[in-house]
Structures are given as structure tokens and as C-alpha cells.
Amino acid sequence: MLLYITLGLLVHFVFFASIFDIYFTSPLVHGMTPQFTPLPPPAKRLVLFVADGLRADKLFELDEDGNSRAPFIRNVIMNEGSWGISHTRVPTESRPGHVAMIAGFYEDVSAVAKGWKENPVEFDSLLNETRYTWSWGSPDIVTMFAKGDLGNHIFAHTYDASSEDFGAHDVTKLDTWVFDHVKEFFHAARNNQSLFSKVNEDKIVFFLHLLGIDTNGHAHRPSSREYSDNIKLVDKELKELESTIKGFYGNDGKTAFIFTADHGMTDWGSHGAGHPLETCTPFIAWGAGIRLPQKVSAQKFDDLYLQEWKLENWKRRDINQADVAPLMAALIGVPFPLNSVGIIPVDILNTSDLFKAESMFTNAVQILEQFKVKMTQKKEATLPFLFTPFKSLSDTKQANILRKARYYIKQKKYDEAVSLCQQLINLALRGLSYYHTYDRFFLAFHVVLGFVGWTSYASLLIIKSHCNLMRGVSTEVKSPSRLLPCTFVAIGVSVAFFLLIQARPWTYYLYCLLPWPIWHAVLREMPVIQGFVTLLSTFPPRRFLGYLLLFILGVEVLVLSFFHRYMLTAGLVAFAAWPFITPLWTRAKSISLSWIFFCLLLAVFPLMPVVGRQPDIFLVVGAGFLVLLLSLFVVTSIIKRKDSFINEELVLHLLQMLSTVFSMCVVYGTHNSLLRKQGLPLLNQIVSWMILASSFVMPLLSPPFLLDRLFSILLSSMSTYLLLSTGYEALFPIVLSCLMFVWIHMEQETLQQSVVSCKQKVSTIQFTCNTDAAQCRDLCLDDIRRAFFLVFFLVTAFFGTGNIASVNSFDPSSVYCFLTVFSPFKMGALIMWKILIPFVLVMCAFEAVQLTTQLSSKSLFLMVITISDIMALHFFFLIKDYGSWLDIGTSISHYVIVMSMTIFMVFLNCLAQVLTTKKLSLCGRPKSHII
Ligand SMILES: [Zn+2]
Ligand SMILES: [Zn+2]
């Protein structure tokens, strides 16, 4: 058993990791030569303002009274500069956003997965190329670009990380801190000779990172007064600082200003995914080298922003976020960041046409350099006869286009030169992605092969060990053929050799070699396959087809429910009809009725809006009361029952009820305190953490009777769940548990129909450690249904209250009872636990189902894994690395969720086993002493 688990885990880890080698690999290459425009730049210095988490609409739109929130910015748009929307990509997080703006490339997902704080890959940035950079802001962001500081030319000024408190105080201080320090800096520069001369050099960047708006958005949502007030404040400070800087340099007209944001924010105060609210950020540039506003009578865009913002008459120029990097480089005349894929928006430049054409030419050469390096790398790593180059951009074609562009520039045909360079850039970018995805088919083929092999193997194992089909067949021991292992060893060796001569990374060996031993194991079970096929042929074909269709339909519903939550509702309604097609309806009416009731009740949840958008603390408190009511009911039934555990159990139940009451008080108190802006009271915080810690121990103290133990687990996890809830989702685990409770009884009933002998009352069954024993019976078709139910309930537990597939469900407000200072890891862990609680409840209930129906846990588990593997294979094919960024993000998280569901299930199964079978006794008294 342990061997299978380890093997299964290994296989799944490999499949899971494979997407990072197949779909999400680092796009960065090294070894290019820096490129810069050989003409004097229009600006000597550049001031970059990044308002973290600022949504485009909140900045540009007019408020209810028709006034602008940012009068200064609006004035710039109308009289001084160029404006537009900067489109960001997913993940809409601070670091990738800043990397795109300052280094000009879109950080790949794997880099994000490897660490949030610092980029694991060496990369070149604009700040690196400057003569001097001074930056102010949050330590997470500002220091990120100071890492490659070779000549000690990047100076970062940061505040303390602990001042990013979401709950209390006035977070606009994060912004005033920056502005005050910059003003002080210029003041000091007047009196400090060495600083003064540094500041007066060319190729200088001042980078101001303003975190206040993001923090206010998380804490109060973007529709709040706080968010708008913060925008007003930034606008006011911006105006002051602009005149300070201009004054400092004596209005020499050599300063360029850029104001933008790293990402936007959803209405409910989160970011990370690809919703337009998150990906549309403002972009405003003015000063040296930037074109003045252009009045137009009509402009065409797909959105209605222009009308909403009353800016129809000022030419809007949208850019991609990475375009900011080459623009800034061209403005101050430094080399373009080496890995930049941005295209300089030449039409916002207020320079000579020659400069525009030359900048575009530099841009094209710089991107072409990356293409060449990438091609060379791929070529060297592939056998010559297998290498298929990118046909649209051959060496001669590159040279031709470059020569022609040079010729146009010489002939002063600048527009032609610009458009030719644009063509070349597009080709080079396409070629880059061609080489980037060069190995994809080869790897994907092997992973799918492995997947299919593993699923078949798991199915064969189930059939072999738990079906009676093999027993009739006389399994005469044949002498094992030498041919099979030899063939597979030969295949393995040749694959390894093939990889070796191409010098592939070690992970490739894993993906490509793994399928062969699996398929060897499958083919070794040939007699089982033959037996199974004979069994199938005796089956009436129509019935067989019917079952098969039902199974496929079930899996498809599950897959679809990842995209549309209402599919879960459809599934649950179908579940509600289950008693009607079985004799259950006539035999056990009351249980059937409650099954129908709870199925339909649970079906309501997937139709509700995603969690966290409408916080409602009264629902949370109400859920608490419901739990208390339930426990009162259980306590009375325990008193009536009067068995040996009574004292101990009553004390435990009272304790658990007490912790539920505490939870309700803490939730209510914290909510009010945050509303009054008094932050999180320390007492509440301590109580919250204590409740969380105790919830792991409490269930272990209860007697191992099936229902008592399950109820104890529910009570404990509910007190934690209440603390992590913000609205209706607090009711979800209660309804889910009720349904699970009915499920256990339903399964007991179905079993009694088929196997009359095993009549045992559910309430007397005890959880024991060794469930796999002689009492296990053969598998039947009903068991496939049980496994399917489990997978369905697990998916419901996942998506019942929100679309966890979107990073958006990361709503910090749900952890405010535990901490309010931003700490991604602690917050992530708490939210993870919140997601897992319904999962654990389902697993524990399933543990009970296994016990009552005397199933072998191993084969059932294998069945569950087979079902989720079939789903995973679906999602593997559905992974996208192109198209809208929302699609990409969701497609990855779907695969990640299914794969981690499988991996998690092994751990959760262990956790559920511990929670249900282990018994601790209060005060160290062995239980036999209590009579
Ligand atoms: Zn940010
Ligand atoms: Zn943020």
C-alpha cells in the first residue's frame, strides 16, 4: 500500500511539475549586446511615479459632482502631455507589474511561483542602465531593482515593512512619506555639493513607488472614500513635487515625467487575475520629449471609457505595460533593457522624425538580438537533422529588412522605416515564442502517455485485487517472458540516449522516462486485461454503453463546473433525484427526504456570488447560532444515551460550544473595531489564534464513535471557519456537513439492500485504525458511484462558495481576525486552511462511508484518483499560454487545482484518518477508568 502511495505521489508530482517545463518556462536569454539610440536624447532625467494598485477609471473619471479626483493629472492630459491606458498582464501583482515597466518583459509564472520577494532570475533593468537612480517606497519593490547594483548607482529609500498595516491608522502616510522624503532630498541636494553634481548629471531616474492607494484599496475597496481621498492626495502632492523639481532644475525643460500604476484592482479590493479592472492602469507622460495633447474629433476604441471620462477629444494612446521600459530608455538615452520585449510608442514622442526612426531601429535590433540568441541556443541543443528553424524570419530576411530600414532612414523616409522596424519586431517576437515553445509537443506527448498509463494501471490494480473476476480464471503461473522487460529497457535506454546527445535538462529525463516503467507494469497485467475484456463481453452492450455514458457525463459535469459554478447546482439537483431511481425511496423515506432537502439546499450555494464581495457579519453570527443550536440538540441526545463516555464528552462539547461563542464574539468585535478604524484588538487576535490551535486537538478528545467524532470535528472546524468568514459562506460547512451526515446513512441503507447480513447501526460503529481487513468485500458498480460522489463533493467543497480558481478569491478581509499587517505567507496559509476545512469535512465523512459500507479504502482511493486523473488530463489539454490573460490564468489554476487535489487527497486522507481514529483522553486518564 505504502509503495503504491509513494509511487502515485511521485507520478503526480512529476506531472504537476511538468507544466512548468512545458508551458511556463522563463523567457529570458542571456548574452545579448546592449543597444541604444546614437542620437542626443530629449531628456536628461526622468521621474517615474508608480501608484500601486491604481485603477484607470478611478483616476480618470469624474465624481458625482462632475469634478475630477485628480485635477492636476487632468490638467496634464488636457494641456501638457500624452495619456492612455497601460494594459498589464497576469498575474496582476506588484512585482511582475514593476518588472514589466522597468525591465520591459513579462515575468513568467514560474518565476512568481519560485518566490514573491525577489526575482530568481538575473535580469537587466532600466535602472541598471542609468547613471544614477534614486528610489523611494515600499521595501518589497524598491530594493528589487537595487540588487543588480554594480557601480553603486542605485539608491533606495524605504520605510519599515511593518508599517503596511491594513486595518488601523491612516495608510496615506505611506505616500506622504515618499513625497516628504523626495522634497527633503532636493532640499538637501542644494546644500550638498557632491549630491548636487550627481543630481545634475544626465541619464538619471527618480522612481517613486506609492503604496497607499493599493493598501487603501485592499482595506476599504476601490469604491471607498479612503481610496478616492488617497488619489486626491497623490494628485495634490504630485503637483507640488513637480514644481519643486522643475524649480530645482531652473525650468530647463529637460525633465520627463511618467505617472502609471503596476496593476488595477477589482471592486472587492483584490488583484492578481486578468479582469479588465485589474489590467487597465492609467498612463500619463509629460515633460521633455513627450508630445503635447492632440485634439481629435473622434477616436475609436472598443470600450466606452472615453465617453464615461469625458475625454473624447483628447487623443488616447494605449500602450502595453512593457512598452514603458523602452520609452523611458529612449527618453533619457540609455541602452534598452536587454530582455525587454516592449515596443517603443513612437507617436507619443515629441522629437525629430529621425530620432523616432532611430529609436525604433534600435528597438528592432534589440529584440532581434534576443531572437538570435534563442535560436542559437535551440540549434545547439538539437540534433541537426531534427532542427526546424522559424521559417518566417531567416538570416537573409533579417539582414534584408535591416538593410532596407537603414536605407529608408538615409532617404529620410522615416515613416516607412518605422513601420518596417515594427514588422521586424513582430516577426522576432513570434520567432521568440516559436523557439520558446519548441519542445512542447515532444514533452506533452510523453506526459500524456504517462498519464494514460498511470490511469490504466490504477484501474487494473482495482480490478485485480477487488473483483471476483479473477477468481474463476485459473491463474496458472506462466514463466515470465523475458521479451517484455527487455523491450522496455531498450526503449528507455534509447530515449535517454536521445536526450543525452541533445543535452536536455534533467527534468526532461523524468518526463520522458517515466511513462515506460508504468506501461511495462500495465502490460505485465495482461491476464487481468484479458479477464476484464471477457467480463465486459458478457455484459449486455446496451447497459454497458449506458453506464459508460453516465460516467463520461459525470466527469464532464465536473470539468465544466470548474468554468461555470452553476454546473455544480445542476449536479446536486441530479443527486437529489438519486433516491427515486433506487428502492431507497420506498424503504427509507425520511432519510431520502432529508437527502433531497439538503442536496437542494447545498445547490443554492454555487448560485450565490463569489465570497467576500458582500460582507455580512450578521450571517456569520447567525451561522454561529445555528452551530450552537445543533450542538444543544446533540448534547441532549448524549445525555439521553447515557453511556460510559458521557462525562468526558459533555465537558468536551461544552468547551467546543464555548469556543464557538468566543469565535462569534471575536468576529463581531473585530468587525466593529475595524469599522471604527481602531485596528485589531490584541485580545481578539490572541483568542483567534488559540481557537485555531485548539481546533486541531479538540476532536481527538472525543470518543471514536462515528457520529460523535464527526460532530466534534464539525464543531471544532466551524469555530475556526467562523473566524475566517465574512458573509454567507459561514453557512456552507454546516449545510455540507448535514448532507454528509445524510449521505452516510444513505450509503448504509443502499448496502443493506444488497448485503442483508451486515446490519449494524450507524451510531454504534466505531472508527478503528485497521479498516482494511478480512471484512472487506468485493467491489460492485455502486462503489464507482460512491467514488464519484466523493470527487463531486470535494469539488463542491472547493467551488461551493467561490471561484477559487481565480486568484481574486484572495480576499485579505477574511483573515482580519488573525492579522492585519500584510504578510502574504501567513495570510495565504490561513486562507488555504479556510479552503481546506470543507475538504476535511468531506474526507472525514467519506472515511465514515468507507467504514459503514465495508469498503477497502485502498481500491476506493484508487478509484477516486482515477476519476480526478481523467479530469486532470482534460485540464492538461486545456492549458493555454496564449489568448486573453484571464484564460491563461484560469487554465493554469484549473490544472493546478485538480493536480493538487489529487496530491492533497493523500495527505487529507491521512489527516482524516488521524482526526477520526486517534483518541486522546482528557487529563491523561485512560478511558477504561471512567465508568
Ligand atoms: Zn501592486
Ligand atoms: Zn496589492
Side-chain angles (χ1 to χ4, degrees):
M1 182 66 186
L2 198 66
L3 181 79
Y4 290 129
I5 290 184
T6 346
L7 188 78
L9 270 183
L10 176 81
V11 170
H12 283 92
F13 272 124
V14 172
F15 291 158
F16 180 70
S18 73
I19 60 162
F20 289 107
D21 267 317
I22 298 177
Y23 291 102
F24 308 105
T25 44
S26 174
L28 299 189
V29 280
H30 297 282
M32 289 82 64
T33 33
Q35 304 289 331
F36 58 94
T37 316
L39 290 172
K44 275 177 80 174
R45 63 200 82 88
L46 179 125
V47 190
L48 171 66
F49 302 94
V50 178
D52 205 303
L54 175 59
R55 248 159 73 166
D57 60 335
K58 291 288 165 196
L59 180 75
F60 291 134
E61 74 186 7
L62 303 175
D63 62 11
E64 305 81 50
D65 311 324
N67 299 322
S68 171
R69 285 189 194 102
F72 171 71
I73 290 286
R74 206 166 173 93
N75 180 50
V76 168
I77 293 173
M78 293 178 169
N79 300 308
E80 275 187 69
S82 297
W83 77 286
I85 289 177
S86 160
H87 296 276
T88 74
R89 286 195 185 177
V90 286
T92 41
E93 293 293 350
S94 294
R95 200 187 69 189
H98 281 90
V99 168
M101 279 183 285
I102 294 173
F105 68 92
Y106 300 103
E107 214 177 5
D108 58 305
V109 180
S110 65
V112 176
K114 277 174 202 153
W116 279 100
K117 298 260 168 183
E118 281 162 22
N119 197 305
V121 205
E122 285 290 312
F123 66 90
D124 182 37
S125 78
L126 173 87
L127 305 190
N128 199 25
E129 305 285 355
T130 56
R131 197 177 311 274
Y132 295 111
T133 293
W134 286 272
S135 46
W136 294 266
S138 154
D140 297 347
I141 298 300
V142 168
T143 50
M144 201 170 91
F145 297 100
K147 243 185 99 185
D149 183 7
L150 298 171
N152 206 16
H153 61 292
I154 303 177
F155 308 100
H157 305 269
T158 65
Y159 38 78
D160 197 22
S162 63
S163 40
E164 294 170 33
D165 193 319
F166 278 102
H169 318 305
D170 182 11
V171 290
T172 53
K173 282 201 188 97
L174 298 175
D175 295 347
T176 42
W177 185 96
V178 171
F179 285 111
D180 289 346
H181 276 74
V182 180
K183 279 185 230 162
E184 249 169 58
F185 170 82
F186 280 106
H187 190 73
R190 284 184 194 279
N191 304 320
N192 180 335
Q193 196 49 51
S194 77
L195 187 58
F196 188 80
S197 61
K198 275 184 189 166
V199 170
N200 273 295
E201 298 256 12
D202 61 349
K203 300 181 181 167
I204 281 180
V205 168
F206 300 102
F207 167 38
L208 282 72
H209 172 243
L210 310 166
L211 190 62
I213 294 176
D214 182 70
T215 318
N216 257 323
H218 287 308
H220 307 285
R221 286 147 219 273
S223 52
S224 62
R225 267 264 315 279
E226 285 83 356
Y227 193 82
S228 308
D229 286 351
N230 204 153
I231 297 176
K232 283 182 194 159
L233 175 110
V234 165
D235 184 71
K236 190 179 126 262
E237 295 274 1
L238 209 62
K239 185 179 175 183
E240 275 182 42
L241 188 65
E242 194 224 25
S243 71
T244 307
I245 294 175
K246 279 185 172 169
F248 181 89
Y249 289 109
N251 288 314
D252 64 351
K254 285 285 179 193
T255 316
F257 296 90
I258 288 180
F259 180 85
T260 183
D262 56 345
H263 50 77
M265 192 171 273
T266 56
D267 281 333
W268 50 99
S270 68
H271 54 81
H275 193 276
L277 291 175
E278 293 160 88
T279 58
C280 289
T281 62
F283 173 77
I284 301 111
W286 70 100
I290 303 289
R291 192 170 192 162
L292 294 174
Q294 237 184 319
K295 283 268 202 169
V296 286
S297 51
Q299 31 184 345
K300 265 191 86 170
F301 281 96
D302 289 338
D303 47 49
L304 297 169
Y305 290 143
L306 286 168
Q307 290 84 327
E308 278 167 30
W309 302 339
K310 307 225 164 30
L311 286 168
E312 302 101 311
N313 298 326
W314 283 271
K315 181 133 178 79
R316 163 181 157 190
R317 294 180 183 88
D318 282 14
I319 58 164
N320 290 318
Q321 199 170 30
D323 300 344
V324 180
L327 172 69
M328 295 194 293
L331 282 174
I332 56 171
V334 297
F336 290 26
L338 289 174
N339 294 108
S340 164
V341 292
I343 306 172
I344 180 168
V346 276
D347 53 341
I348 75 164
L349 287 180
N350 180 23
T351 54
S352 64
D353 286 340
L354 172 66
F355 184 83
K356 287 181 194 173
E358 281 289 357
S359 302
M360 203 64 191
F361 188 81
T362 315
N363 203 168
V365 174
Q366 171 253 333
I367 292 177
L368 194 62
E369 277 277 310
Q370 294 181 63
F371 169 80
K372 283 188 198 159
V373 171
K374 194 127 201 170
M375 186 181 76
T376 319
Q377 279 180 0
K378 251 314 76 95
K379 203 171 181 175
E380 278 168 4
T382 315
L383 292 177
F385 62 94
L386 283 175
F387 182 73
T388 28
F390 180 63
K391 292 199 180 64
S392 316
L393 194 58
S394 59
D395 288 351
T396 45
K397 188 157 184 189
Q398 294 166 25
N400 277 341
I401 295 180
L402 286 178
R403 201 179 321 119
K404 210 165 162 191
R406 266 272 145 248
Y407 173 75
Y408 279 143
I409 293 176
K410 215 177 252 173
Q411 296 285 307
K412 298 203 165 62
K413 290 182 182 166
Y414 299 122
D415 288 346
E416 283 91 337
V418 166
S419 72
L420 200 62
C421 291
Q422 239 146 11
Q423 262 179 42
L424 181 60
I425 290 176
N426 288 336
L427 278 176
L429 287 178
R430 265 179 48 211
L432 263 178
S433 93
Y434 171 82
Y435 286 119
H436 187 58
T437 57
Y438 194 78
D439 294 330
R440 186 168 294 179
F441 177 77
F442 176 72
L443 284 180
F445 172 77
H446 279 94
V447 169
V448 170
L449 199 69
F451 241 126
V452 175
W454 165 257
T455 318
S456 329
Y457 183 61
S459 318
L460 283 178
L461 273 185
I462 304 168
I463 296 165
K464 185 182 169 191
S465 50
H466 290 280
C467 281
N468 46 9
L469 86 114
M470 292 315 293
R471 258 151 250 175
V473 187
S474 59
T475 43
E476 65 225 57
V477 190
K478 286 185 213 152
S479 60
S481 154
R482 280 288 170 96
L483 189 67
L484 199 63
C486 288
T487 324
F488 277 92
V489 166
I491 295 176
V493 168
S494 51
V495 168
F497 182 68
F498 181 72
L499 292 171
L500 190 72
I501 47 175
Q502 301 199 60
R504 290 301 148 100
W506 63 272
T507 44
Y508 279 40
Y509 291 84
L510 224 55
Y511 309 136
C512 299
L513 291 178
L514 192 66
W516 305 113
I518 296 178
W519 275 104
H520 176 236
V522 171
L523 291 185
R524 231 181 29 196
E525 306 292 346
M526 209 55 199
V528 185
I529 302 175
Q530 280 162 354
F532 186 60
V533 170
T534 7
L535 180 81
L536 281 187
S537 56
T538 60
F539 224 64
R542 198 172 286 173
R543 243 181 102 192
F544 172 72
L545 268 180
Y547 281 128
L548 194 69
L549 273 180
L550 207 64
F551 183 76
I552 293 172
L553 189 75
V555 172
E556 289 310 310
V557 166
L558 277 177
V559 169
L560 277 176
S561 68
F562 276 66
F563 296 96
H564 312 285
R565 282 169 63 216
Y566 60 75
M567 288 311 288
L568 287 175
T569 304
L572 282 167
V573 171
F575 277 12
W578 173 44
F580 295 111
I581 53 165
T582 57
L584 274 172
W585 177 244
T586 45
R587 285 189 32 166
K589 228 174 202 139
S590 57
I591 289 184
S592 302
L593 275 177
S594 28
W595 168 262
I596 296 168
F597 173 72
F598 283 114
C599 270
L600 294 180
L601 195 60
L602 195 68
V604 175
F605 282 92
L607 295 178
M608 309 272 265
V610 171
V611 159
R613 306 208 180 163
Q614 285 113 20
D616 188 347
I617 215 69
F618 289 101
L619 275 177
V620 181
V621 177
F625 278 116
L626 211 63
V627 173
L628 288 181
L629 209 72
L630 265 177
S631 33
L632 271 182
F633 179 72
V634 172
V635 166
T636 43
S637 75
I638 293 173
I639 293 175
K640 265 189 225 154
R641 210 173 64 213
K642 286 190 179 130
D643 57 28
S644 59
F645 288 113
I646 182 155
N647 280 330
E648 201 179 338
E649 211 188 340
L650 272 183
V651 172
L652 182 75
H653 270 305
L654 284 179
L655 272 176
Q656 286 184 315
M657 281 165 75
L658 206 64
S659 83
T660 312
V661 174
F662 274 138
S663 293
M664 286 156 66
C665 296
V666 168
V667 167
Y668 192 73
T670 309
H671 181 74
N672 278 339
S673 160
L674 286 177
L675 272 189
R676 288 197 305 270
K677 287 202 169 186
Q678 286 170 345
L680 167 65
L682 184 67
L683 183 69
N684 286 10
Q685 195 173 9
I686 295 172
V687 172
S688 299
W689 284 104
M690 273 167 59
I691 291 176
L692 176 66
S694 73
S695 73
F696 292 100
V697 189
M698 291 279 215
L700 302 182
L701 295 167
S702 72
F705 284 121
L706 200 127
L707 296 181
D708 297 304
R709 180 52 75 92
L710 285 181
F711 188 71
S712 186
I713 294 170
L714 169 67
L715 266 187
S716 283
S717 45
M718 265 318 281
S719 52
T720 319
Y721 201 81
L722 286 179
L723 289 174
L724 290 167
S725 298
T726 55
Y728 75 89
E729 82 266 26
L731 296 165
F732 180 71
I734 306 178
V735 179
L736 186 69
S737 305
C738 289
L739 184 64
M740 291 300 107
F741 174 77
V742 183
W743 185 32
I744 297 169
H745 282 89
M746 290 284 275
E747 293 295 359
Q748 172 85 349
E749 285 293 333
T750 41
L751 192 76
Q752 280 169 14
Q753 288 161 21
S754 44
V755 194
V756 196
S757 61
C758 54
K759 200 146 188 141
Q760 199 181 5
K761 279 206 78 163
V762 176
S763 53
T764 58
I765 299 177
Q766 284 201 25
F767 279 116
T768 46
C769 294
N770 46 345
T771 43
D772 259 18
Q775 62 195 26
C776 284
R777 55 187 175 77
D778 283 334
L779 289 182
C780 56
L781 274 175
D782 246 359
D783 294 324
I784 300 181
R785 181 189 52 70
R786 283 186 189 110
F788 179 75
F789 270 29
L790 173 66
V791 178
F792 190 89
F793 286 136
L794 285 176
V795 174
T796 312
F798 227 80
F799 290 105
T801 60
N803 186 4
I804 314 286
S806 154
V807 198
N808 277 338
S809 28
F810 182 83
D811 179 9
S813 67
S814 59
V815 297
Y816 281 173
C817 288
F818 291 89
L819 62 154
T820 50
V821 176
F822 187 72
S823 142
F825 287 105
K826 269 190 231 158
M827 283 181 161
L830 282 170
I831 288 181
M832 198 65 208
W833 181 234
K834 181 186 174 185
I835 294 169
L836 283 183
I837 284 176
F839 231 81
V840 173
L841 290 176
V842 174
M843 278 316 263
C844 289
F846 185 65
E847 199 69 19
V849 168
Q850 261 179 31
L851 205 69
T852 51
T853 55
Q854 294 155 353
L855 263 171
S856 140
S857 63
K858 180 183 129 197
S859 49
L860 225 119
F861 199 67
L862 278 174
M863 254 194 282
V864 168
I865 290 198
T866 311
I867 295 177
S868 45
D869 276 346
I870 297 173
M871 281 164 70
L873 199 59
H874 261 82
F875 289 120
F876 182 81
F877 284 118
L878 290 174
I879 289 182
K880 285 182 183 162
D881 66 334
Y882 56 89
S884 105
W885 283 91
L886 179 63
D887 297 347
I888 300 170
T890 352
S891 71
I892 312 165
S893 42
H894 285 161
Y895 184 70
V896 172
I897 287 173
V898 181
M899 286 310 275
S900 40
M901 196 167 95
T902 323
I903 294 171
F904 257 127
M905 216 135 55
V906 179
F907 293 116
L908 278 179
N909 196 35
C910 300
L911 180 66
Q913 241 160 28
V914 169
L915 277 178
T916 49
T917 54
K918 288 279 172 296
K919 170 85 177 85
L920 299 173
S921 38
L922 265 185
C923 321
R925 286 174 303 179
K927 66 184 177 194
S928 53
H929 287 202
I930 314 158
I931 299 169

